[in-house]
Amino acid sequence: MTVPQASRQPGADANGSTPSDNPGTTHKRSLSGFEDEISATKANKWELFLAGEYVCPWCSCCTWFVLGWVFFAIFIVKIGSEGTDIFTFEDAVVKSDINVQEYYGYLAAVGTVEGCEDDDHDEERTCNADDNCQWSSALEACEDKPTCEEPDPRPRENTLLYDKSAMYVAIIYEATEDGNLFDDDILRHVKDFEDKLLTDVNGAKSKDGPSPWDEDWCAMAYPNSSATEGKCASVASFMNIFAMTDEGMAAVKSQAAAGYTNVGALSCLCSTQAGLCSICQTDGSAKSVADWPEEVRTCLDQYSGVTTTTTTEPSSSGLPMCEDTSRSFTPDVVEAYATSLCLSQPTCQWSAPGAHAFCTSTAFYHATDISSIVTGDAKTAAIEQLCDDTNTMSASMKQNLIGQSSSCSAKKATFAKTIFTAGSPSAQTDPDEGDNFEKDYISASGGWFQKEQELETQVEDASGGKLRVMLFSSATLQSQFISILLVDMILSLGSLFLVWAYMWWTLESCFLATCAMFEIAFSLPVTMSFWTVICGQQILFTQMLCIYMILGIGADDAFILYDAWLQSSYAADGPSHWTGRFAWAYRRSFSAMQVTTATTCGSFLIGACSPLPQVQNFCIFAAIVVFVDWLFCETFFASAIIIHHRYIKNDQDGQCGGPGCCCGLWKLVSKRFREKRAVQLESPSQANNGDGNGNGIEKRWLERFSEGPLFDHLHKFRFAWIIFWFLLALAMVIVAGVTLRTAEETAPIGREGLDTIRGIEIMLEEFAVGDTRYASVIWGLDADEPMKEWGSSHDDDVANFNPATATAVTTPTGQMEVLNLCRATDLGKNSDALRCKTTECLVMGQATAAQCEGNENAWRQYGVYVPDDVMCNSGRYCFMEEFARYWIYHVDGAACTAASTQLTCPSGCSWDADLSVCYTDKTEHDYEGIPATDFINILGSTEYSSYLATRTEVMSNYGFDFDTYNDATMSNFRMNSAKTALALAWVGFNATYPLQNTVEEANDWYDRWDAFHSKYCPTVGGVQTSELYVFMVTQNAMVQAAIMGIGMSLLISFVVLVLVTWNWWVAGLGLLNIVAITCVFMGIIPIMGWSLGENECIFLIAVVGLSVDYTVHLLHVYHHCPHKTRVARAREALAEMGVSVINSALTTLLAAAILFGCGFYFFFQFGAFIFLVIGFSIVMSITLLIPLLTTIGPQNEQGDLPPLRKQCAKVSPESAAAPARESPQIPKE
């Protein structure tokens, strides 16, 4: 076999022998013949340019240095022009999947509800030009103009706005050590905390001095519309339920009597007695008014003659608006309400705010209104009331204030919540009021937040660690996150500093370490510049973390190049010109780095085939970063090595930490490097402390350790190491197969030890906060391509319409199918499990098989359906139902509504004497569909538009504003511009599917909803969609992406190894080692508590790209080593490359270890991933690959591909490094 001259081990003699081949020899490099190779190497023009000889000494180094800054400047300019739009924090979706296209097509098609809040009113000028709208300076947004003149708000009656939203305070309580928040001692600690927090806040100050919360900032309640004096409004706290002592009920009673109630005379029915309401019979009927208790009748008399409305001006529809709802329940209304009230056999005991529909107060402030809480049997009764699922108020209170993990049977709660808002002190909302509040009170020295933090510490200490208090608010949340992020950034910068310091110590030069860090760090902004300017892409948060990945790869390249330069100095005797040495080192390292860069980039580029956009973007970006780093290493850092050696290197080795460590930068200034002369370096043997007699130099201790004790140990126990790693890999494969599953939820925000992060995670997981899920059916989207154009954000997405699919809805059959789809939920918890409040059903709502009863007065007077019970949840939003009601009342019943007297009220109609209206006897259920032409004409008519406006006002008057908004967003229709055809229509449902699902569960939910849609809309078609399907598609794609990514990355690694070595045996052993590393890491994922999410999918693809480096470096030396036997080859590989790969691994491990202290979870997770992959890669490359090579590694020409090998040898960098000559005869070893 012909061995390329430059491939021979540094230190081999003419026969290829090395000191390490013969026991007992000293660890000196015998360099006979090695100098010939270096002396014979001639630098080409490119190498002379890099070395500073072709143009000027500093031209090359400065060129690449300036080039890096140019790209950095381009990136900064890009940020300046586009701002934060250059970054995106949106979750990327699988845009190629039809289910994803349908969901985002639905969102884009539905868009913003038409009105004052749509895009056409986003400027003050256009807003004020609309007679129905007005501009809010506080919100800096357009809003609906009130239909009547409202009085100016009183002090703190309105919520204080901070950053255009309500200034809220949320407190999460956690019982630690498996404790129970319902225990008496913990409840007392919570009360002590809230008593102080809601009053003086431990002496909190504003800029004007002490500022108690209850005196200056609490939201205020007022007894009636004309009152000028009020008191702090009730706080939504779980402590309220335990505040109903005799003292508490007396306070609620007196406050209601004073007018602090929203139900007026209805509060007269309340008492301090438990049990059935005093006006009700045990059979569910109401007593006659004469039999009502005297105190009830006396209370009602006080409300007699009260005006029920304070309307200043009738609205366009003639509706009474601006009603004082606290006085709307007159004695007559109460008497009429008694019958329906008693059907549910209610209790009328004075209760805590939120625990009863009317027997409560709007101003019960438990911090000042009570001195103690319930205990014993009273506490048990309070818990039972809280757990009473038949009481809709208690059930809602439990859902919102007690964690979902609470156990009513065990009377135990681990989590609880309190939330309240601040009131706006000024009568008119000041746009700067919220900012001043935050600056002068919340964040001030000695202010509210500082004192609250002290209070938290006090109460947690007093509880003996049994209670954990976590507070965040809209005014502090940003600063709380910034404080965590600041610590994380310091740690991140600290990791970079440690890597720089370690490289300084290893490279023995501050200058070289700094240049290496420049090479590594600037690969990121250069890539970002290319990614944003050339590719026109946005930058993901995960992509910015590539800096920690490239630390190991970049350091590895730097060490390989510098070690090759050092090895070039191992000349025997006589001088060798430094340009020849540089050319030899450059070509030798170029080959090694080219292999690792190709395999790493190839492994990452496989991620471009992933169906997950986040994985695609990360992997392509990472491949570019790796490539850019390699370019900088082969250009800038290569030039820096020569600059260092010619102008900076300390001549006195071994002083103060090594050459150049202390005075390297000073020598850069003091050296007369501007002299225009060719610099002839001293003899390499002298420069490296050789003895000058050709006997070589002392190796570094890590080289001696690697080829000596370490290799001897690995060779001696090679079978033990091989068996150990393969058994571990097998065990990890089993662990991964049994326990590795797709993610059921998004990754945690951060470490649980941080109160802010822990509190938010508990809020999201345990409480009903914005967790309403929806499913929708839409007609009018193109079935094959629902998306016309994807925007830079989902707000810019454009749907692809196909009105033909909406035409089916306009037929009588289509109308009835849509109605049947909506009304099917009224079957309740039937055999199909359609509607209930658990995941057993599809739709969230009441389990009773009936429609929510409607208010008769609203129907008779306006033809508008208004639920009679505000707590009744139908679970659906259906435009078709409103159309049916309109047609029955206003079209089919037009003769009824035209009658103005009882005498003229025709047959089929009824007369309401109290309302003086004639109304149809038919109901919405009598609607049977109408011809398509009539249907279209009515939908596009001004009369129908007026009806919808009237409905909005009626619903608002009855307190259903939120339902009106949901009706308009969750179900509506769009006509074409000529109003001659239906272009779009959709209906919506409240869904029961949980926020957390496995991929199997998500697929099952999809099948259930699809079956529901198909059953009730067999011919009208449409698209049924939900946000859950985006998750489902992502999770399904996750498994595919992980399997494909790993398999293809391994294949690419094997192909590159074969192409580089032209030896299938060497490539196979490398693949075996990489597979073992991958298997071990796959088993580590579930052990770490991770599931297969997008981050983990990226990790599994990247693990191949990151673990291949050390394997390839060792195999590269093994294959090109001139020795014949596998043991000598393996020893040489570890001796020559061990120092480089170990130093490279240590730099990465240092950087990753620092990230363990980060607060945000992804920093921690990414650090753990890098640490584990690099740790296992370096350990297994040494303790598994080396034993494999010494046991079954190829010898002589085993595994070579001769035809390809011959062609490769003609052009290999090693063969080009020196004139061809016969291979030395290598004796058997």
Side-chain angles (χ1 to χ4, degrees), residues 1-4 1057-1058 1060-1067 1118-1121 1124 1129 1194-1206 1209:
M1 179 180 72
T2 301
V3 181
L1057 283 172
V1058 170
V1060 170
T1061 62
W1062 303 112
N1063 187 295
W1064 63 267
W1065 196 322
V1066 170
Y1118 179 91
H1119 181 64
H1120 289 287
C1121 175
K1124 292 289 186 179
R1129 283 183 168 188
Q1195 302 186 99
N1196 299 315
E1197 298 182 359
Q1198 289 177 331
D1200 280 355
L1201 303 175
L1204 300 178
R1205 174 74 176 175
K1206 183 177 181 181

Side-chain angles (χ1 to χ4, degrees), residues 144-151 307-325 328 862 949-961 964:
D144 294 327
K145 183 180 293 184
T147 55
C148 67
E149 191 69 27
E150 295 181 347
T307 303
T308 62
T309 180
T310 59
T311 304
T312 58
E313 236 178 56
S315 64
S316 58
S317 64
L319 294 174
M321 302 300 294
C322 299
E323 183 178 351
D324 183 356
T325 56
S328 61
Y862 305 110
T950 298
R951 177 182 179 273
T952 299
E953 292 186 355
V954 172
M955 293 288 285
S956 177
N957 193 49
Y958 280 88
F960 286 89
D961 300 82
T964 303

Side-chain angles (χ1 to χ4, degrees), residues 684-761:
S685 60
Q686 296 171 353
N688 292 278
N689 293 333
D691 59 12
N693 297 321
N695 294 325
I697 64 168
E698 190 74 20
K699 299 179 183 178
R700 289 169 287 181
W701 73 270
L702 192 53
E703 291 177 298
R704 298 196 304 272
F705 173 75
S706 298
E707 70 171 332
L710 178 58
F711 180 83
D712 292 342
H713 168 83
L714 295 174
H715 183 53
K716 180 178 180 181
F717 298 100
R718 58 188 181 280
F719 296 112
W721 278 111
I722 293 172
I723 294 173
F724 168 76
W725 283 117
F726 276 104
L727 288 178
L728 181 63
L730 179 63
M732 288 301 187
V733 169
I734 295 173
V735 170
V738 173
T739 61
L740 184 58
R741 294 292 181 268
T742 55
E744 297 182 28
E745 58 184 352
T746 56
I749 300 173
R751 289 190 292 113
E752 291 189 356
L754 299 170
D755 283 352
T756 304
I757 289 175
R758 176 63 175 161
I760 291 176
E761 289 183 343

Side-chain angles (χ1 to χ4, degrees), residues 481-553:
F481 270 107
I482 288 177
S483 64
I484 299 171
L485 184 61
L486 183 61
V487 173
D488 287 1
M489 293 304 296
I490 292 174
L491 289 173
S492 301
L493 293 175
S495 68
L496 297 180
F497 175 80
L498 278 181
V499 170
W500 173 77
Y502 182 80
M503 294 182 75
W504 184 357
W505 178 75
T506 304
L507 298 174
E508 299 181 330
S509 168
C510 175
F511 174 78
L512 286 180
T514 304
C515 290
M517 287 303 298
F518 177 88
E519 162 221 323
I520 295 169
F522 268 67
S523 60
L524 193 64
V526 170
T527 304
M528 286 180 171
S529 178
F530 177 83
W531 186 256
T532 56
V533 177
I534 305 300
C535 300
Q537 300 292 315
Q538 290 178 297
I539 296 174
L540 301 174
F541 173 71
T542 52
Q543 291 172 332
M544 292 185 283
L545 296 179
C546 282
I547 184 64
Y548 299 102
M549 176 200 70
I550 200 62
L551 276 173
I553 298 174

Side-chain angles (χ1 to χ4, degrees), residues 592-621:
M593 286 188 282
Q594 187 182 43
V595 175
T596 56
T597 301
T599 51
T600 305
C601 288
S603 299
F604 277 123
L605 286 175
I606 288 301
C609 302
S610 171
L612 299 174
Q614 186 170 350
V615 176
Q616 290 178 1
N617 293 335
F618 178 87
C619 290
I620 296 174
F621 187 89

Side-chain angles (χ1 to χ4, degrees), residues 215 347 365 499 529 570 600 613 654 682 803 842 930 956 998 1219:
E215 295 180 13
T347 176
Y365 201 68
V499 170
S529 178
Y570 297 152
T600 305
E682 65 277 17
L842 281 179
I930 60 176
S956 177
T998 63

